[in-house]
Each structure stands twice: as C-alpha cells, then as structure tokens.
Amino acid sequence: MISKKLDTSTTPKPRPLGRGTMRRSVSTLSIPQSLGRGSRRVDYKILFLCTALSCIGLICISSSTNPGLNSLLAGPKNNLVVKQVFWMVLALTMFSVSFIAGYQKFLDFAILFYILNFIFLSALLILAPVISGAQRWLTIWGLNFQPAEFAKLGLILVLVQYFITRQERIKEFKIFLAAFVLLAIYTFLIFQQPDLGSALILVPLFLVISVCAGIKKRYIIALLGLVIIFSPIFWMILKDYQRQRLLVFLNPNADPLGAGYTVIQSKIAIGSGGLFGKGWLKGSQSQFNFLPESHTDFIFALFCEEWGWLGAVVVILLYYFLIKRILRIAVLSHNRAAKLLAIAVATNLFSHVFTNIGMTLGILPVVGIPLPFISYGGSNLMVNMISLGMVASIAKDI
Amino acid sequence: MRIYFLEKFFLAGLLFLGLILWYYQIIKGPYFQRLSDNNRIRIVPIMPDRGDLLDREGRKIASEIPSFDLALIPQELKDTELVLEELSRMLDISLDETKRIYRKNILSPFAPVTIARNIPLEKIALIEEQKPDLAGVDLEINSRRFYPFGATAANLIGYLSEINTAELERLKPYGYRIKSLVGKSGLEKSLDVYLRGEPGGRQVEVDNRGNMVGVLGEKKAIAGKEIELTINMEWQNKAHQLITAHKGAILIMDPRDGQILVLESSPSFDPNLFVLGDIKKLRPILNSPKSPLLNRALKANFSPGSIFKLVVAIAGLETKKINPHSQFRCDGKLYLGKEEFKCWEEKGHGNQTLVDAIKHSCNIFFYKLGSELGYENIRNFAKILGLSENSGIGLQEESKGLIPNASWKYSVHREKWFEGDTLNLAIGQGFVLVSPIQILRLVAAIGNGGFLVKPYLVKNIAGTPVQEIKREFTGIKEENLNIVKEGMLRVVNNPDGTGNRARIEGLDIAAKTATVQTSKGTTHAWIAGFLPYQNPKLAFVVFLEHGGRGGVEAADICHALFSELKQDILNYK
C-alpha cells in the first residue's frame, strides 16, 4: 500500500527538490537521478542546516556556562563548549562514515545493532544499583554516552529492516505483534532507568514507521484502544510513590517550588526575551542560574531569553527546512527501505523538537528530551548525525 | 501523498510552537519581564542612624554609639561548622548557642548574619589576627542606641525593642524589617517618626540561590532628626536619686509656658538592656511586681487626697458659697446620719477660714464646703482645672483618670449617689483618680493666675523650634486664686502648716500636701505646689505610691531636691 502511494507520488509527476539544477535532474529521469549537481556528492543542504543548528547550540552552551557574570558558579561547566566542539568533530566524522558506508550497511547490521543496544540498556539496569540513583549513562574510554539515544536509532533500523524484509506479509497480525515486541523491549528497559521521556518518544516513531510500512490501521487503532482500556489497571497496580512520580511528570505546575520550578523559570525566561531578546550573555534567568539545565534540556528557554521571538522563529525554520529536506529525499528515493528510513529519521527529529520545545513552554510534561543539535551532549548529536549521514547516503543514490 | 501529509503535519506542529512562543514572548512579554526582574533584583535596606535626644543644656540623653558587631556572610563561608566553632571559642559563647543564632537569623546568602554585638576591643584584636583563616567572617561597625544616663528618665525616654508584627505591617513602607528596632514607649515611641530617619537601600542582583552577584545602585540612608528636649538632666538625675528607693514620681514644670524640666517615674529600668536584647537581664524588669515600665507620672491611677481640696476651695470661692472670711467649725468629727466623718486632727481645728483650712488641711471644713457645693459643682471645677483629661503632653502612656458623679456611679456600681460620696469627693478620697501630671497642671494654674497650660517636652527638632505654647484661661478670678495661694504658702512656711518640712529659706515654696488612705498598705504621699510664691517659675509634684505621709516623706524629698537645686532655681530665668 505504501509502496503504491510512494510510487505514484514520484514517477508521474515528480516534485522538484529544489530550484535550478535539481529541477533539471529530476525531470530527466532516464539519467541516474541526483539531488544536486552530479551524483554521489554529499547533500550540502542537510550538512549546512545541521551545522548551523549545532553552531547555535555552541552559542547557547557558551552563554549557559559563561562565568563572566557569575564567577561563583563557574567551575564544573566551564569547559563544556570545548567538549561540545569535540563532539561536533566526532559527529561530523560519524556523518561521513555513515554517508560513505551507506544506509544499506546499517540495515544489514540492524539486528546486531539492536542486540548490542539491548545489552547496553540491560547493563545499565544491572549497574544502576551500584551507581546510585537514576542511571542513564555508560562511561566508555572516559566518555559518557547514553544507550537510550542509540536505542532510538536501533529501533528505527530494526523496524525498517523487519518490515521491508516481510513486505509480502505486512498485513499479518503476527508481523505487527513481533514489531510491537521489539518496541516494548526497549520501552520497558528505558522506562526502568527511569527515563520516561526517552521511553515514550519511541512510541510515535513506532506508529509512523508501522503506518508507512503498510501495517493495517485497525491493528494500530486496536493497540491504542487497549492502552486506553488498560491504563486504569496499570495505574492501579502502580505503587503509591510511583503514582506520585507520574503525577509530577504529568503536572509539574502542581508543585511550584519542586518539580514545577523548572517550568515556571523556563516560561519566565522565554517570555522575558520579548521580540528581540536580551542579547547574548545577558539573559538574567540563565546567567544567574534561575533556569536549571540551561545547557541541556532547557537550552531553548535560554536561547529564547537571549535572542527573542525572532531567534526562536529562525531556529524553528531551520528545523522545518531540515525535516522538509529529509522528507523530500524520502519522496525522491526509489528504494522502499530508504523511504521508510528517511521518514523515520524525520519523525524522530520532529518528535524531539516538538517535545523539547513544548516542555520548555509548559504545554508538555517535563521529560528529559534534548533539543537535537543544540542541547549539550554527545550521544544525541552522534545519533542525529549518523541518521543524517544515512539520509545523505540515500540522496546519493537518487 | 502520505509523506506530503506528514510534512504538513510537522509544519503545523512547528507553527503551533511558533504561535505559543508569540503569545509568551510578545503578548505576555512585559508580564514575564517583570517576573524576571523580580527574580534577580533584591533591595537590601540600609538603616539610618536614629536621631539623638538632647536635654535643654545639650547633654545627650540618647545617642548612637559605634558597636563592634561580628557577622557571618553565608555565601562566603567555606566551612561553616569550623568557623562557628572557632568563633564560639573566641567569644565565649557556647557552640550550640552560636549555631542557633546563626541558623535562626539567616535571611539571604548575601545578608550578614550578626552573631555577636558589642564585642570588647581585646577580642576584636584577637579576631582580626585570625581573620585570614576565617573567610566569611565580617567585623562590622554598626551604630547602636545608647542611653548614657541609664535608668534616669528611662520611663520618659522610653526604650527601643524589636518590631512586632502589627508595627511591621504599619512601618514596612518606611523600610522597617523583621528585627528592626522601634520605639516601644515614652519619647522613643511618640517621636519615632522624627527620630527614625529614612532608610536607604542597595539594589543588588542575585542569582537563583540568592547569592549577590552585583550592585545596581545605592541610596544613602538619611539619619533621623536630633531633638532637643526641655528636660534638665541634672535636675532629673537628682530627682532620680531621691526617689529611686520609692515607687512614685517627681515632676517639675515651668507654669508660665508648660515646659517640663523633670519628669521622673520610679522604679525605673536601664533602657540599654532592651537595646542589647539580653532576655536574661530583661526578665526581672518585665516580671517585677513593682512594674518599673509603668510611667507613674502619667498614669491616673491614684487618689489625690487632700490636694483635691484646692479644687473644692476654688469652687467654693468662685461659686460664692464662701468668701475669704467665711468660717466653718471643726470639732474633729462630723455626723451624716449615723455615719461619722473624722478630721485627721481628732481635737478639731475650731473655727477657721479657708486659708487656715488649707494650711491645716482640715477635713471637716471641706466636708462642709463640699456639702454646700454638691458634687456637680466640684466636678465642674475639677474639669476646668484639667482633671480627668489628658494633659496634652503627647505621650501615649497617659491616662485620663476619673471624677465621679451620680450617673457614673450608677452605670458602674449600680448604686445611687449618697451624700457621703460628696463628702469623700470633697477631700479627694473615694472614686476620684488623678495622675501626677494632672496635679502638676492644677497647681501650675493656681500659681500662674488661672491659666491651664499644656505641658511639653520637645524644645526643637533638628534646630527648629516646634512647640507653640498653649495655655487656656480657666476663667477663675485672680483674687480667689490669691486666697488659695496664700493658704498654700502657709502650708509650707507656717510652723503649723502640714508641709512645713519642705520649707527652704529664700525659695518661698507654696504647696499642698496629701496623705491618701488606700484600701491596703501604706498611704500615698503627695506634695504639690509652686515656687516662688510671687510669679512662680516652677510648679512641682512629688508623689510616693504607698510611700508614707505627704507632710513627712514627700515633703522631705521635696526639701532635699530643692535644697540641692536652690542655686540653679534662683538662676533659672
């Protein structure tokens, strides 16, 4: 079903990818198709957009860790810009690697990748009691990385590969059930960390991939129905403190000095930025540390405070162009697996951006979801750049 | 198609975020801007120096002196525990106490927490030596209220103490905070508005933990105004020493304009203890059965006794019930029905005129006069002469007292007025209650030719004279007053006058004594009058609560006081 639709959208009336040369290349379908001038070249639009977003991230991280106004609180955070530059270099390298290797290699090793991530996630749970508190990090060669971030890529790859290799039997319930188990395993493991945000963000990813792969809609509707029916039972078997924790997750404003504090400070930061913002390094909410996590999950609030609504619109537009570009590649690709992969990457990107910004605006519960390319942190950046490398490698085959 | 739909869906999601951002940043922008400023800007008040109180000669009665205080700045402390330990050792305060004071008084990380006040100099030297090791310890020079005369005039001056909730509510706009000191009684309270000055403030920028990260601006505090009083502290001090063993009050006023030179209430207390706030030393004052915090000069809790006969005498003359030559006979006792009313002199005083009756303080004469006048006449003249009303001195401790009549008696005691009540009233016994300062106005009015003056204490504020002299003519004829004055002169200067022990050669004191029967304990002793007899310069009251007899204990104190002050008095204007 999906393939039919995708085919009709590409072949009879191809939508141009861009202006000028691209329009020409698309119209001449007999020649090996390409996105830019000449084939087998990297997609500069994607590269430009993700680099631009990363540079905005660097500006925000440097502001968040700026010791100038508040020397008392310098110290631990002050070399984060350097670290992030290092991560960016590493991530660009990974982009190149995945671009050169091509998405098909990733799909070939999807099962292996899935199992490897499963081991990491399980290792976290086993090590968690040893290292106190919530455990989301593994330290390898002195670098912290988050298995949950890689799990998102792992799930994308395994689902795409699984659905593509079973294209003929895609309507069978068994297939859907098996895919659901693949999702459930990761969700459960990540939920146990506990990292509700990363666990739940896998769900829209699963839904979009399933629908686009051609899974019967009624299975998905039935699944959603089951979740709704069983949620009260699930709620009842939860322990009191777990319920409490969920309530705080769902309504942080109920507790303005506790969990809700962050959201309130975040809204103040964003709102006080106004149209033009307070200027770089001049956001009092972040400079005086009223805003927690201003270099990671709440970096968008810092950005809005210092750069205003105009800055925020620029960032949102950059994300939109990036997502649009990825989807355009999906449209133009002939390979069903590649299409599905690109759609999944775009969906993953969108759900992160939407959840993170929605969370800083207080319209979504505070769950630890980073803002792609901008939030400080290596794992998310690496995963995103690898994903974009794969998308770029799709483009070189068009 | 599906991808196209997906793209539009993502676009809608991002547009939605953009719109919410527009709402927060543009529409509600000013609101969040204000919240953000509230977050980061704090005002740290700078308290002004309180104005000094000076006596009429320029002596300091209350002033600000430097106090070496030790404070900790929480945000600069590295090892709080260690520093507290070290300080408790150096200051000889127990560690628990040090910790308690520190924990209790933390307001914000940048606001110094005072641990100890008034540190002696040798300890300051010790701490200064150690200072490099004591990060976060701050030696501050603050100013502190100091009363050099200690307990002298303490009830008049009043004391300062930590602000309470109600006062804080009222004074918050003036920069008062928890723990600010405010005047709690006496002049410190009634003149607080002039003395307190205007606090300044420092606008500081703080971070999320309240740590100060910068100063935005500073407004200097404006010191309170210096106030010069009419009090003569040297005289006051003598009065204090003479009365300190008794409960009571000594007052001296210039009857011509109402300026108060002495207003001493006893027992007294050391107001410095309240400034230091040492509860162990304050408890005996607060719990004393002698109520040292009560200003007896202003409280109308006392029967005037025979002093009240002056009112009855004036009433008699003014209403023409008697003239200077009228006589009443005293046989030592008087019957009203079966009830017997006695004179203090059992043998009786025989036939006497008003002047003699005042001199002897004869009860029978005034019973008979009172009986002829009736209680309403007596009450009218008592009111004309300022009894049962506030003197206008402007201290909040004042109370009005009581001159009874039939309707009052009925409303309070549910009893009708008996003739016996009139007789009691005529000699100032029974229900009537007055304050020493009311008696002072009364004798001043007799001395100055019938003018009821409003007593005052403040000569000038910050160099500007403020008191408009207010005196009200009572309408009493001078010739009538002269008869009463004549009687009062004889009280002191005739050998058989009741106040003869107060006589001092060359001062021409005229006075009236009173020995008041009280329901329990010793009698109250009064002597009140003026001097010199001709054109009096001073009016005075000596009152001893349960202190003995007017003609003995009170008169002796009066004598001692004016003997010592004789030269000063002769030099006084």
Side-chain angles (χ1 to χ4, degrees):
Chain A
M1 182 181 172
I2 179 84
S3 52
K4 208 190 300 165
K5 287 204 171 172
L6 288 177
D7 287 345
T8 52
S9 72
T10 47
T11 37
K13 195 185 175 190
R15 297 171 62 82
L17 260 171
R19 291 175 188 85
T21 53
M22 274 179 243
R23 195 181 293 268
R24 222 182 306 134
S25 68
V26 170
S27 57
T28 52
L29 280 169
S30 51
I31 308 166
Q33 292 173 359
S34 76
L35 279 162
R37 54 187 102 123
S39 61
R40 306 207 166 258
R41 291 190 61 172
V42 71
D43 188 299
Y44 287 110
K45 266 194 177 176
I46 285 187
L47 203 54
F48 166 75
L49 288 167
C50 66
T51 311
L53 286 166
S54 297
C55 289
I56 289 173
L58 279 184
I59 291 170
C60 293
I61 294 165
S62 69
S63 173
S64 171
T65 58
N66 168 43
L69 273 169
N70 195 354
S71 51
L72 289 164
L73 296 154
K77 290 207 289 189
N78 54 9
N79 56 357
L80 291 193
V81 177
V82 181
K83 271 193 182 171
Q84 187 69 6
V85 170
F86 167 77
W87 280 119
M88 274 174 70
V89 172
L90 199 64
L92 276 170
T93 313
M94 292 308 285
F95 176 90
S96 313
V97 168
S98 80
F99 172 73
I100 292 163
Y103 66 94
Q104 193 54 54
K105 280 275 185 320
F106 283 88
L107 289 175
D108 292 345
F109 291 105
I111 298 295
L112 199 66
F113 199 62
Y114 183 88
I115 292 169
L116 201 63
N117 260 308
F118 174 79
I119 293 168
F120 281 138
L121 289 172
S122 310
L124 263 188
L125 289 184
I126 294 159
L127 292 176
V130 186
I131 314 156
S132 66
Q135 190 58 35
R136 297 173 185 182
W137 310 87
L138 274 184
T139 308
I140 293 172
W141 299 316
L143 292 175
N144 292 329
F145 87 102
Q146 276 182 290
E149 292 298 331
F150 289 90
K152 293 164 190 168
L153 185 57
L155 187 73
I156 290 173
L157 290 173
V158 86
L159 286 178
V160 170
Q161 179 67 5
Y162 182 76
F163 285 138
I164 292 301
T165 50
R166 284 154 187 82
Q167 192 62 47
E168 296 76 33
R169 304 194 293 151
I170 198 78
K171 305 270 183 235
E172 285 176 26
F173 182 69
K174 247 193 285 178
I175 300 297
F176 172 72
L177 196 66
F180 180 72
V181 169
L182 288 174
L183 164 78
I185 290 169
Y186 271 11
T187 309
F188 174 77
L189 288 173
I190 297 171
F191 186 72
Q192 288 297 313
Q193 287 184 5
D195 184 353
L196 188 70
S198 296
L200 290 183
I201 209 151
L202 297 179
V203 176
L205 204 53
F206 171 79
L207 292 178
V208 172
I209 296 174
S210 302
V211 171
C212 290
I215 292 285
K216 277 190 172 173
K217 274 184 205 139
R218 70 176 117 109
Y219 294 158
I220 286 160
I221 292 165
L223 175 69
L224 291 175
L226 277 180
V227 169
I228 291 166
I229 290 165
F230 281 103
S231 57
I233 296 166
F234 177 67
W235 182 252
M236 271 153 66
I237 58 168
L238 280 177
K239 297 214 170 73
D240 244 7
Y241 76 92
Q242 287 172 315
R243 266 182 240 169
Q244 206 61 41
R245 198 185 285 173
L246 262 178
L247 281 176
V248 173
F249 269 134
L250 296 176
N251 184 13
N253 290 322
D255 183 11
L257 289 176
Y261 172 83
T262 312
V263 176
I264 292 165
Q265 296 305 329
S266 165
K267 279 160 89 169
I268 293 173
I270 293 170
S272 63
L275 184 61
F276 297 107
K278 297 175 184 171
W280 186 51
L281 302 183
K282 296 207 177 87
S284 58
Q285 284 291 106
S286 36
Q287 295 303 323
F288 300 148
N289 279 30
F290 290 105
L291 181 67
E293 299 296 327
S294 66
H295 63 300
T296 56
D297 291 351
F298 282 88
I299 199 162
F300 188 72
L302 175 146
F303 181 77
C304 287
E305 184 182 24
E306 297 195 339
W307 299 94
W309 187 75
L310 293 178
V313 166
V314 167
V315 165
I316 288 176
L317 279 178
L318 288 177
Y319 280 122
Y320 174 64
F321 290 144
L322 187 56
I323 289 167
K324 198 177 163 186
R325 183 69 183 168
I326 296 167
L327 289 177
R328 188 63 68 240
I329 290 169
V331 167
L332 289 182
S333 173
H334 305 299
N335 186 308
R336 259 183 258 121
K339 280 179 192 290
L340 211 48
L341 191 61
I343 289 170
V345 170
T347 306
N348 191 35
L349 199 55
F350 171 79
S351 51
H352 274 74
V353 171
F354 189 82
T355 311
N356 179 278
I357 295 180
M359 169 175 108
T360 61
L361 286 169
I363 55 174
L364 287 177
V366 177
V367 287
I369 293 295
L371 189 61
F373 307 109
I374 294 183
S375 281
Y376 171 78
S379 303
N380 185 258
L381 184 64
M382 295 275 274
V383 168
N384 284 319
M385 290 302 263
I386 292 170
S387 308
L388 290 186
M390 290 191 305
V391 173
S393 78
I394 296 170
K396 81 184 167 187
D397 285 346
I398 295 170
Chain B
M1 277 317 282
R2 196 158 277 175
I3 297 174
Y4 179 75
F5 169 78
L6 210 55
E7 191 207 302
K8 293 298 163 223
F9 176 77
F10 290 164
L11 177 63
L14 294 175
L15 273 177
F16 173 68
L17 291 179
L19 280 176
I20 301 239
L21 282 165
W22 172 269
Y23 174 72
Y24 278 152
Q25 299 194 276
I26 311 299
I27 295 174
K28 301 250 303 200
Y31 165 75
F32 283 114
Q33 182 65 54
R34 209 163 50 243
L35 288 186
S36 151
D37 285 345
N38 289 347
N39 258 349
R40 73 188 171 97
I41 297 169
R42 300 271 187 288
I43 307 288
V44 184
I46 304 171
M47 292 315 282
D49 275 357
R50 204 171 165 81
D52 286 353
L53 286 172
L54 309 177
D55 86 340
R56 61 187 302 121
E57 311 281 346
R59 287 174 284 234
K60 282 186 176 171
I61 306 175
S63 65
E64 299 285 296
I65 58 158
S67 155
F68 293 94
D69 300 344
L70 189 138
L72 298 178
I73 302 165
Q75 75 182 40
E76 284 170 20
L77 283 174
K78 289 210 181 74
D79 187 342
T80 313
E81 201 74 5
L82 190 79
V83 169
L84 287 176
E85 236 166 77
E86 194 68 12
L87 289 179
S88 92
R89 195 177 53 75
M90 283 193 279
L91 298 170
D92 296 325
I93 314 172
S94 81
L95 183 58
D96 286 345
E97 178 72 0
T98 320
K99 281 183 185 165
R100 194 185 60 79
I101 296 172
Y102 177 68
R103 304 252 151 80
K104 209 177 113 191
N105 293 319
I106 290 185
L107 288 174
S108 62
F110 57 84
V113 182
T114 307
I115 298 290
R117 293 182 197 278
N118 281 308
I119 301 165
L121 282 170
E122 66 270 15
K123 280 186 180 167
I124 289 172
L126 193 71
I127 293 163
E128 282 290 354
E129 267 171 41
Q130 299 261 346
K131 232 185 150 184
D133 303 331
L134 299 171
V137 172
D138 190 24
L139 276 172
E140 302 177 315
I141 304 175
N142 290 324
S143 44
R144 166 170 83 82
R145 200 63 163 168
F146 177 61
Y147 304 93
F149 289 92
T152 301
N155 272 302
L156 169 64
I157 303 305
Y159 62 92
L160 295 176
S161 187
E162 266 178 30
I163 195 161
N164 64 34
T165 340
E167 287 162 339
L168 186 61
E169 201 60 39
R170 189 164 50 84
L171 294 172
K172 228 176 195 166
Y174 301 98
Y176 280 75
R177 293 192 307 168
I178 311 166
K179 307 192 88 57
S180 292
L181 294 180
V182 286
K184 286 289 169 124
S185 73
L187 291 170
E188 288 279 29
K189 182 175 185 179
S190 61
L191 299 175
D192 199 66
V193 62
Y194 303 107
L195 292 172
R196 65 181 165 224
E198 257 180 63
R202 198 176 288 131
Q203 219 182 11
V204 300
E205 237 174 334
V206 299
D207 67 7
N208 64 319
R209 286 130 139 219
N211 288 326
M212 188 170 82
V213 290
V215 177
L216 295 176
E218 187 171 321
K219 188 183 140 209
K220 290 238 176 331
I222 300 167
K225 296 192 170 76
E226 183 181 83
I227 298 180
E228 196 182 331
L229 302 176
T230 58
I231 296 292
N232 185 325
M233 273 317 267
E234 208 184 311
W235 295 14
Q236 179 93 25
N237 204 12
K238 296 226 160 75
H240 173 73
Q241 283 159 17
L242 287 169
I243 204 175
T244 194
H246 296 86
K247 286 196 283 181
I250 297 178
L251 297 89
I252 301 178
M253 175 177 81
D254 189 326
R256 293 167 297 187
D257 59 5
Q259 55 178 308
I260 300 277
L261 288 111
V262 171
L263 196 152
E264 179 72 15
S265 169
S266 181
S268 190
F269 60 93
D270 183 356
N272 291 307
L273 296 177
F274 282 92
V275 177
L276 300 175
D278 184 346
I279 193 71
K280 274 179 224 134
K281 288 182 181 156
L282 286 176
R283 206 168 282 139
I285 296 173
L286 298 169
N287 297 341
S288 166
K290 289 181 171 176
S291 343
L293 295 180
L294 179 75
N295 192 337
R296 289 176 163 79
L298 306 176
K299 276 279 182 268
N301 287 345
F302 314 107
S303 297
S306 306
I307 302 254
F308 197 74
K309 288 170 184 168
L310 298 172
V311 176
V312 180
I314 290 166
L317 291 167
E318 283 287 304
T319 55
K320 299 200 164 61
K321 297 282 188 224
I322 51 169
N323 64 43
H325 311 293
S326 317
Q327 292 192 337
F328 286 113
R329 183 175 173 78
C330 168
D331 296 318
K333 52 186 136 188
L334 178 96
Y335 288 96
L336 185 71
K338 282 180 189 161
E339 217 175 332
E340 188 189 62
F341 287 81
K342 282 184 189 162
C343 189
W344 61 271
E345 180 70 77
E346 280 175 40
K347 290 176 290 188
H349 292 103
N351 279 326
Q352 15 172 31
T353 60
L354 178 62
V355 171
D356 292 329
I358 291 173
K359 180 178 78 179
H360 294 135
S361 197
C362 175
N363 286 355
I364 305 294
F365 182 97
F366 286 98
Y367 286 144
K368 289 178 174 171
L369 176 55
S371 179
E372 291 210 2
L373 281 165
Y375 66 87
E376 279 300 352
N377 266 329
I378 297 173
R379 190 164 183 268
N380 282 344
F381 277 89
K383 290 201 162 232
I384 287 170
L385 287 161
L387 299 184
S388 82
E389 67 175 52
N390 279 338
S391 67
I393 193 167
L395 291 171
Q396 297 175 25
E397 287 81 5
E398 222 186 337
S399 64
K400 285 185 173 173
L402 171 71
I403 307 297
N405 66 0
S407 60
W408 171 84
K409 194 185 174 192
Y410 186 75
S411 69
V412 175
H413 293 279
R414 299 280 154 200
E415 250 180 30
K416 69 185 264 265
W417 185 270
F418 299 111
E419 182 64 10
D421 294 326
T422 308
L423 299 195
N424 270 332
L425 179 63
I427 62 158
Q429 295 275 167
F431 304 117
V432 57
L433 290 174
V434 299
S435 62
I437 198 161
Q438 287 170 345
I439 297 300
L440 185 68
R441 291 179 87 202
L442 165 68
V443 291
I446 295 170
N448 69 14
F451 292 93
L452 197 61
V453 293
K454 179 179 151 191
Y456 69 90
L457 288 155
V458 179
K459 219 165 143 186
N460 55 52
I461 296 178
T464 316
V466 287
Q467 204 67 41
E468 74 178 291
I469 290 153
K470 212 174 140 191
R471 43 183 236 171
E472 231 176 90
F473 185 54
T474 53
I476 297 166
K477 289 188 204 75
E478 191 154 11
E479 62 207 64
N480 290 338
L481 288 173
N482 283 340
I483 297 158
V484 176
K485 281 169 82 172
E486 174 71 24
M488 289 171 76
L489 182 68
R490 292 188 190 183
V491 167
V492 179
N493 292 288
N494 278 19
D496 58 344
T498 55
N500 187 243
R501 293 171 76 124
R503 180 183 138 80
I504 294 165
E505 188 64 47
L507 284 185
D508 291 338
I509 299 173
K512 179 77 190 77
T513 62
T515 304
V516 186
Q517 308 291 330
T518 54
S519 52
K520 53 184 174 183
T522 329
T523 51
H524 296 329
W526 291 90
I527 184 165
F530 46 83
L531 67 129
Y533 169 67
Q534 294 293 346
N535 300 318
K537 296 189 287 189
L538 298 173
F540 66 88
V541 171
V542 175
F543 166 68
L544 304 176
E545 185 182 352
H546 300 300
R549 301 174 58 182
V552 183
E553 284 82 359
D556 282 350
I557 286 177
C558 182
H559 179 88
L561 180 64
F562 290 130
S563 312
E564 283 192 57
L565 298 180
K566 185 173 173 184
Q567 206 49 50
D568 282 4
I569 291 170
L570 292 174
N571 291 340
Y572 177 76
K573 272 191 283 186

